[in-house]
Amino acid sequence: MSFVLAAAMAVSGLLFTGTAAQAASTLHAQARTAGPPFPYDACIKEAKRQGKKDAVARCDNLVKKGWVKPPGR
């Protein structure tokens, strides 16, 4: 799930970091089983884990694109 969330963030204008690229290779099998839309709280948690200060704005943008479920659902 982390890989797909990272990929969704890349689509919204982020670049992969070395850590995300390593995680992507190990979590690729999980990404196939768990597809979008992802929970909003998971998006916030992952963005904060990656050190993004505008986590809410990024996740709101991903909600508009359909990658993340709206909060409260």
Side-chain angles (χ1 to χ4, degrees):
M1 182 167 131
S2 179
F3 167 72
V4 177
L5 185 57
M9 289 183 167
V11 169
S12 69
L14 295 176
L15 298 175
F16 281 111
T17 62
T19 306
Q22 290 172 353
S25 64
T26 59
L27 297 174
H28 186 65
Q30 286 182 345
R32 284 188 234 154
T33 58
F38 299 103
Y40 189 81
D41 59 338
C43 178
I44 296 292
K45 182 178 177 182
E46 180 65 18
K48 287 183 179 180
R49 185 190 68 78
Q50 291 181 4
K52 307 303 178 192
K53 295 186 187 280
D54 59 344
V56 173
R58 291 180 186 271
C59 291
D60 287 345
N61 190 26
L62 292 172
V63 167
K64 291 178 188 174
K65 292 181 179 185
W67 283 93
V68 176
K69 292 178 189 174
R73 286 193 179 181

Coordinates of all heavy atoms in Angstrom, one line a residue:
M1 N 0.8 -1.2 0.0 CA 0.0 0.0 0.0 C 0.9 1.3 0.0 O 0.5 2.2 -0.6 CB -0.9 0.0 1.2 CG -1.8 1.2 1.2 SD -3.1 0.9 2.4 CE -3.0 2.5 3.2
S2 N 2.0 1.2 0.7 CA 2.9 2.3 0.8 C 3.4 2.7 -0.6 O 3.5 3.9 -0.9 CB 4.0 2.0 1.7 OG 4.9 3.1 1.8
F3 N 3.7 1.7 -1.4 CA 4.2 1.9 -2.8 C 3.2 2.7 -3.6 O 3.5 3.6 -4.3 CB 4.6 0.6 -3.4 CG 4.8 0.8 -4.9 CD1 5.9 1.4 -5.4 CD2 3.9 0.3 -5.8 CE1 6.1 1.6 -6.7 CE2 4.1 0.4 -7.2 CZ 5.2 1.1 -7.6
V4 N 2.0 2.2 -3.6 CA 0.9 2.8 -4.4 C 0.7 4.3 -3.9 O 0.5 5.2 -4.7 CB -0.4 2.0 -4.4 CG1 -1.5 2.7 -5.2 CG2 -0.1 0.6 -5.0
L5 N 0.7 4.5 -2.6 CA 0.5 5.8 -2.1 C 1.7 6.7 -2.5 O 1.5 7.8 -2.9 CB 0.4 5.7 -0.5 CG 0.1 7.1 0.2 CD1 -1.2 7.7 -0.4 CD2 0.0 6.8 1.6
A6 N 2.9 6.2 -2.5 CA 4.0 6.9 -2.9 C 3.9 7.2 -4.4 O 4.2 8.3 -4.8 CB 5.3 6.2 -2.6
A7 N 3.4 6.3 -5.2 CA 3.2 6.5 -6.6 C 2.2 7.6 -6.8 O 2.3 8.4 -7.7 CB 2.8 5.2 -7.3
A8 N 1.1 7.5 -6.0 CA 0.1 8.5 -6.2 C 0.6 9.9 -5.9 O 0.3 10.9 -6.5 CB -1.1 8.2 -5.3
M9 N 1.5 10.0 -4.9 CA 2.1 11.3 -4.5 C 3.0 11.8 -5.7 O 3.2 12.9 -5.9 CB 2.8 11.2 -3.2 CG 1.9 11.1 -2.0 SD 2.7 11.1 -0.5 CE 1.4 11.4 0.6
A10 N 3.7 10.8 -6.3 CA 4.6 11.2 -7.4 C 3.8 11.8 -8.6 O 4.2 12.7 -9.2 CB 5.4 9.9 -7.9
V11 N 2.6 11.2 -8.8 CA 1.7 11.7 -9.8 C 1.3 13.1 -9.5 O 1.2 14.0 -10.4 CB 0.5 10.8 -10.0 CG1 -0.6 11.5 -10.8 CG2 0.9 9.5 -10.5
S12 N 1.2 13.5 -8.2 CA 0.8 14.8 -7.9 C 1.9 15.8 -7.8 O 1.8 16.9 -7.3 CB 0.0 14.8 -6.5 OG 0.9 14.5 -5.5
G13 N 3.1 15.4 -8.2 CA 4.2 16.3 -8.3 C 5.4 16.1 -7.4 O 6.3 16.8 -7.4
L14 N 5.4 14.9 -6.7 CA 6.5 14.6 -5.8 C 7.5 13.8 -6.6 O 7.1 13.1 -7.5 CB 6.0 13.8 -4.6 CG 5.1 14.6 -3.6 CD1 4.7 13.6 -2.5 CD2 5.8 15.7 -3.0
L15 N 8.7 13.8 -6.2 CA 9.7 12.9 -6.7 C 10.0 11.8 -5.7 O 10.0 12.1 -4.5 CB 11.0 13.7 -7.1 CG 10.8 14.8 -8.1 CD1 12.1 15.6 -8.2 CD2 10.4 14.2 -9.4
F16 N 10.3 10.6 -6.2 CA 10.6 9.5 -5.3 C 12.0 9.8 -4.7 O 12.9 10.4 -5.3 CB 10.8 8.2 -6.1 CG 9.5 7.6 -6.4 CD1 9.0 7.5 -7.7 CD2 8.7 7.0 -5.4 CE1 7.8 6.9 -8.0 CE2 7.5 6.4 -5.6 CZ 7.1 6.3 -6.9
T17 N 12.1 9.5 -3.5 CA 13.4 9.5 -2.8 C 14.0 8.2 -2.8 O 13.3 7.2 -3.2 CB 13.2 10.0 -1.3 OG1 12.4 9.0 -0.6 CG2 12.6 11.3 -1.2
G18 N 15.2 8.0 -2.4 CA 15.9 6.7 -2.4 C 15.2 5.8 -1.5 O 15.0 4.6 -1.9
T19 N 14.7 6.2 -0.4 CA 13.9 5.4 0.5 C 12.6 4.9 -0.1 O 12.3 3.7 0.0 CB 13.6 6.1 1.8 OG1 14.8 6.7 2.3 CG2 13.0 5.2 2.8
A20 N 11.9 5.7 -0.8 CA 10.7 5.3 -1.4 C 10.9 4.3 -2.5 O 10.1 3.4 -2.7 CB 9.9 6.6 -1.9
A21 N 12.0 4.5 -3.3 CA 12.3 3.6 -4.4 C 12.6 2.2 -3.8 O 12.2 1.2 -4.4 CB 13.5 4.1 -5.2
Q22 N 13.3 2.2 -2.7 CA 13.6 0.9 -2.1 C 12.4 0.2 -1.6 O 12.2 -1.0 -1.7 CB 14.6 1.0 -0.9 CG 16.0 1.4 -1.4 CD 17.0 1.8 -0.3 OE1 16.5 1.9 0.9 NE2 18.2 2.0 -0.6
A23 N 11.5 1.0 -0.9 CA 10.3 0.5 -0.4 C 9.4 0.0 -1.6 O 8.6 -1.0 -1.4 CB 9.5 1.5 0.4
A24 N 9.4 0.7 -2.7 CA 8.6 0.4 -3.8 C 9.0 -1.0 -4.3 O 8.1 -1.8 -4.7 CB 8.8 1.4 -4.9
S25 N 10.2 -1.4 -4.4 CA 10.6 -2.7 -4.9 C 10.2 -3.8 -4.0 O 9.8 -4.9 -4.4 CB 12.1 -2.7 -5.1 OG 12.8 -2.6 -3.9
T26 N 10.2 -3.5 -2.6 CA 9.8 -4.6 -1.7 C 8.3 -4.7 -1.5 O 7.8 -5.8 -1.2 CB 10.4 -4.4 -0.3 OG1 10.0 -3.1 0.2 CG2 11.9 -4.4 -0.4
L27 N 7.5 -3.7 -1.8 CA 6.1 -3.7 -1.5 C 5.3 -3.8 -2.8 O 4.1 -3.6 -2.8 CB 5.7 -2.4 -0.8 CG 6.3 -2.3 0.6 CD1 6.0 -0.9 1.2 CD2 5.8 -3.4 1.5
H28 N 5.9 -4.1 -3.9 CA 5.2 -4.1 -5.2 C 4.1 -5.2 -5.2 O 3.0 -5.0 -5.7 CB 6.2 -4.4 -6.3 CG 5.6 -4.3 -7.7 ND1 5.1 -3.1 -8.2 CD2 5.4 -5.3 -8.6 CE1 4.6 -3.4 -9.4 NE2 4.8 -4.6 -9.7
A29 N 4.4 -6.3 -4.6 CA 3.3 -7.4 -4.6 C 2.1 -7.0 -3.7 O 1.0 -7.2 -4.1 CB 3.9 -8.7 -4.0
Q30 N 2.4 -6.2 -2.6 CA 1.2 -5.8 -1.8 C 0.4 -4.7 -2.6 O -0.8 -4.6 -2.5 CB 1.7 -5.1 -0.5 CG 2.2 -6.1 0.5 CD 2.6 -5.5 1.8 OE1 2.8 -4.3 1.8 NE2 2.8 -6.2 2.8
A31 N 1.1 -3.9 -3.4 CA 0.4 -2.8 -4.1 C -0.6 -3.4 -5.1 O -1.6 -2.8 -5.4 CB 1.4 -2.0 -4.9
R32 N -0.3 -4.6 -5.7 CA -1.2 -5.2 -6.6 C -2.5 -5.6 -6.0 O -3.6 -5.6 -6.6 CB -0.6 -6.3 -7.3 CG 0.4 -5.9 -8.4 CD 0.9 -7.1 -9.2 NE 2.3 -7.1 -9.1 CZ 3.1 -8.2 -9.2 NH1 2.6 -9.3 -9.4 NH2 4.4 -8.1 -9.2
T33 N -2.4 -6.1 -4.7 CA -3.6 -6.6 -4.1 C -4.5 -5.5 -3.5 O -5.7 -5.6 -3.4 CB -3.2 -7.6 -2.9 OG1 -2.4 -6.9 -2.0 CG2 -2.5 -8.8 -3.5
A34 N -3.8 -4.4 -3.0 CA -4.6 -3.3 -2.4 C -4.5 -2.1 -3.3 O -3.5 -1.4 -3.4 CB -4.0 -3.0 -1.0
G35 N -5.6 -1.8 -4.0 CA -5.5 -0.7 -5.0 C -6.2 0.5 -4.5 O -6.8 0.5 -3.4
P36 N -6.2 1.6 -5.2 CA -6.8 2.8 -4.8 C -8.3 2.7 -4.8 O -8.8 1.8 -5.5 CB -6.4 3.8 -5.9 CG -5.8 3.1 -7.0 CD -5.5 1.7 -6.5
P37 N -9.1 3.5 -4.2 CA -8.7 4.6 -3.3 C -8.3 4.1 -1.9 O -8.8 3.2 -1.4 CB -9.9 5.5 -3.3 CG -11.0 4.6 -3.4 CD -10.5 3.4 -4.3
F38 N -7.3 4.8 -1.4 CA -6.7 4.5 -0.1 C -7.4 5.3 1.0 O -7.9 6.4 0.7 CB -5.2 4.7 -0.1 CG -4.5 3.8 -1.1 CD1 -4.1 4.3 -2.3 CD2 -4.4 2.5 -0.8 CE1 -3.5 3.5 -3.2 CE2 -3.7 1.7 -1.8 CZ -3.3 2.2 -3.0
P39 N -7.3 4.9 2.2 CA -7.9 5.7 3.3 C -7.2 7.0 3.5 O -6.0 7.1 3.4 CB -7.7 4.8 4.6 CG -7.4 3.4 4.0 CD -6.8 3.6 2.7
Y40 N -7.9 8.0 3.9 CA -7.4 9.4 4.1 C -6.4 9.4 5.2 O -5.3 10.0 5.0 CB -8.5 10.3 4.3 CG -8.1 11.8 4.3 CD1 -8.0 12.5 3.2 CD2 -7.9 12.5 5.5 CE1 -7.7 13.8 3.1 CE2 -7.5 13.8 5.5 CZ -7.4 14.5 4.3 OH -7.1 15.8 4.3
D41 N -6.6 8.7 6.3 CA -5.7 8.7 7.4 C -4.4 8.0 7.1 O -3.3 8.4 7.5 CB -6.3 8.1 8.7 CG -6.8 6.7 8.5 OD1 -7.0 6.3 7.4 OD2 -6.9 6.0 9.5
A42 N -4.4 7.0 6.2 CA -3.2 6.4 5.8 C -2.4 7.3 4.9 O -1.1 7.3 5.0 CB -3.5 5.1 5.0
C43 N -3.1 8.1 4.1 CA -2.4 9.1 3.3 C -1.7 10.1 4.2 O -0.5 10.5 3.9 CB -3.4 9.8 2.4 SG -2.6 11.1 1.3
I44 N -2.4 10.7 5.2 CA -1.8 11.6 6.1 C -0.6 11.0 6.8 O 0.5 11.7 6.9 CB -2.8 12.1 7.1 CG1 -4.0 12.9 6.4 CG2 -2.2 13.0 8.2 CD1 -3.6 14.2 5.8
K45 N -0.7 9.8 7.3 CA 0.3 9.1 8.0 C 1.6 9.0 7.1 O 2.7 9.2 7.6 CB -0.2 7.8 8.5 CG 0.8 7.0 9.3 CD 0.2 5.7 9.8 CE 1.2 4.9 10.6 NZ 0.7 3.6 11.0
E46 N 1.4 8.5 5.9 CA 2.5 8.3 5.0 C 3.2 9.6 4.6 O 4.4 9.7 4.6 CB 2.0 7.6 3.8 CG 3.1 7.3 2.7 CD 4.2 6.3 3.2 OE1 3.9 5.6 4.2 OE2 5.2 6.3 2.6
A47 N 2.4 10.6 4.4 CA 3.0 11.9 4.0 C 3.8 12.5 5.1 O 4.9 13.0 4.9 CB 1.9 12.9 3.6
K48 N 3.3 12.4 6.4 CA 4.1 12.8 7.5 C 5.3 12.0 7.7 O 6.3 12.5 8.1 CB 3.2 12.8 8.8 CG 2.2 14.0 8.7 CD 1.3 14.0 10.0 CE 0.4 15.2 10.0 NZ -0.5 15.2 11.2
R49 N 5.2 10.7 7.5 CA 6.4 9.8 7.6 C 7.5 10.2 6.6 O 8.6 10.2 6.9 CB 6.0 8.4 7.4 CG 7.1 7.4 7.6 CD 6.8 6.0 7.2 NE 6.7 5.9 5.7 CZ 7.8 5.8 4.9 NH1 9.0 5.9 5.3 NH2 7.6 5.7 3.6
Q50 N 7.0 10.7 5.5 CA 8.0 11.1 4.5 C 8.5 12.6 4.7 O 9.3 13.1 4.0 CB 7.4 11.1 3.1 CG 7.2 9.7 2.6 CD 6.6 9.6 1.2 OE1 6.4 10.6 0.6 NE2 6.2 8.4 0.8
G51 N 8.0 13.2 5.8 CA 8.5 14.5 6.2 C 7.8 15.7 5.4 O 8.4 16.8 5.4
K52 N 6.7 15.4 4.8 CA 6.0 16.5 4.1 C 5.2 17.4 5.1 O 4.4 16.9 5.8 CB 5.0 15.9 3.1 CG 5.6 14.9 2.1 CD 6.8 15.5 1.4 CE 7.4 14.4 0.5 NZ 8.7 14.8 0.0
K53 N 5.5 18.7 5.0 CA 4.8 19.6 6.0 C 3.4 19.9 5.5 O 2.6 20.4 6.3 CB 5.6 20.9 6.1 CG 7.0 20.6 6.8 CD 7.7 21.8 7.0 CE 9.1 21.6 7.5 NZ 9.2 21.2 8.9
D54 N 3.1 19.8 4.2 CA 1.8 20.1 3.7 C 1.0 18.8 3.4 O 0.3 18.7 2.4 CB 1.9 20.9 2.5 CG 2.7 20.3 1.4 OD1 3.4 19.3 1.6 OD2 2.6 20.7 0.2
A55 N 1.0 17.9 4.4 CA 0.4 16.5 4.2 C -1.1 16.6 3.9 O -1.6 15.9 3.0 CB 0.6 15.7 5.4
V56 N -1.8 17.5 4.6 CA -3.2 17.6 4.4 C -3.6 18.1 3.0 O -4.4 17.6 2.3 CB -3.9 18.6 5.5 CG1 -5.3 18.8 5.2 CG2 -3.7 17.9 6.9
A57 N -2.8 19.1 2.5 CA -3.1 19.7 1.2 C -2.8 18.6 0.1 O -3.5 18.5 -0.8 CB -2.2 20.9 1.0
R58 N -1.7 17.9 0.3 CA -1.4 16.8 -0.6 C -2.4 15.7 -0.7 O -2.8 15.3 -1.8 CB 0.0 16.2 -0.3 CG 1.1 17.2 -0.5 CD 2.5 16.5 -0.2 NE 3.5 17.5 -0.3 CZ 4.2 17.7 -1.4 NH1 3.9 17.1 -2.5 NH2 5.2 18.6 -1.4
C59 N -2.9 15.3 0.5 CA -3.9 14.3 0.5 C -5.2 14.8 0.0 O -6.0 14.1 -0.7 CB -4.0 13.7 1.9 SG -2.6 12.8 2.4
D60 N -5.6 16.1 0.2 CA -6.8 16.6 -0.3 C -6.7 16.6 -1.9 O -7.7 16.4 -2.5 CB -7.0 18.1 0.2 CG -7.4 18.1 1.6 OD1 -7.8 17.1 2.2 OD2 -7.4 19.2 2.2
N61 N -5.5 16.9 -2.4 CA -5.3 16.9 -3.8 C -5.5 15.5 -4.4 O -6.1 15.3 -5.4 CB -4.0 17.4 -4.2 CG -3.8 17.7 -5.7 OD1 -4.8 17.9 -6.4 ND2 -2.6 17.6 -6.1
L62 N -5.0 14.5 -3.6 CA -5.2 13.1 -4.1 C -6.6 12.6 -4.0 O -7.1 11.7 -4.7 CB -4.3 12.2 -3.3 CG -2.8 12.4 -3.6 CD1 -1.9 11.6 -2.6 CD2 -2.5 12.0 -5.0
V63 N -7.4 13.2 -3.0 CA -8.8 12.9 -2.9 C -9.5 13.4 -4.2 O -10.3 12.6 -4.8 CB -9.5 13.6 -1.7 CG1 -11.0 13.5 -1.8 CG2 -9.0 12.9 -0.4
K64 N -9.2 14.6 -4.7 CA -9.8 15.1 -5.9 C -9.5 14.2 -7.1 O -10.3 14.1 -8.0 CB -9.3 16.5 -6.2 CG -9.8 17.5 -5.2 CD -9.2 18.9 -5.4 CE -9.6 19.9 -4.3 NZ -8.9 21.2 -4.5
K65 N -8.3 13.6 -7.1 CA -7.8 12.8 -8.2 C -8.4 11.4 -8.1 O -8.2 10.6 -9.1 CB -6.3 12.8 -8.3 CG -5.7 14.1 -8.7 CD -4.2 14.0 -8.8 CE -3.7 15.4 -9.2 NZ -2.3 15.4 -9.5
G66 N -9.0 11.0 -7.0 CA -9.5 9.7 -6.8 C -8.6 8.6 -6.3 O -8.9 7.5 -6.2
W67 N -7.4 9.0 -5.9 CA -6.4 8.1 -5.3 C -6.7 7.8 -3.8 O -6.3 6.7 -3.3 CB -5.0 8.6 -5.5 CG -4.5 8.5 -6.8 CD1 -4.5 9.4 -7.8 CD2 -3.8 7.3 -7.4 NE1 -4.0 8.9 -9.0 CE2 -3.5 7.6 -8.7 CE3 -3.5 6.1 -6.9 CZ2 -2.9 6.7 -9.6 CZ3 -2.9 5.2 -7.7 CH2 -2.6 5.5 -9.0
V68 N -7.4 8.7 -3.1 CA -7.6 8.6 -1.7 C -9.1 8.8 -1.4 O -9.7 9.7 -2.1 CB -6.7 9.6 -0.9 CG1 -7.0 9.6 0.5 CG2 -5.3 9.4 -1.2
K69 N -9.6 8.0 -0.5 CA -11.0 8.2 -0.1 C -11.2 9.5 0.7 O -10.3 9.9 1.4 CB -11.5 7.0 0.8 CG -11.6 5.7 0.1 CD -11.9 4.6 1.1 CE -11.8 3.3 0.5 NZ -12.1 2.2 1.5
P70 N -12.3 10.2 0.5 CA -12.5 11.4 1.3 C -12.6 11.1 2.8 O -12.9 9.9 3.2 CB -13.9 11.9 0.8 CG -14.1 11.2 -0.5 CD -13.4 9.9 -0.4
P71 N -12.2 12.0 3.7 CA -12.2 11.7 5.1 C -13.6 11.4 5.6 O -14.6 12.0 5.1 CB -11.7 13.0 5.7 CG -11.6 14.0 4.7 CD -11.8 13.3 3.3
G72 N -13.7 10.5 6.5 CA -15.0 10.2 7.1 C -15.7 9.1 6.3 O -16.9 8.7 6.7
R73 N -15.1 8.5 5.4 CA -15.7 7.4 4.6 C -15.0 6.1 4.9 O -14.0 5.9 5.1 CB -15.7 7.6 3.1 CG -16.7 8.7 2.8 CD -16.9 8.7 1.3 NE -17.9 9.7 1.0 CZ -18.3 10.0 -0.2 NH1 -17.8 9.3 -1.2 NH2 -19.2 10.9 -0.4

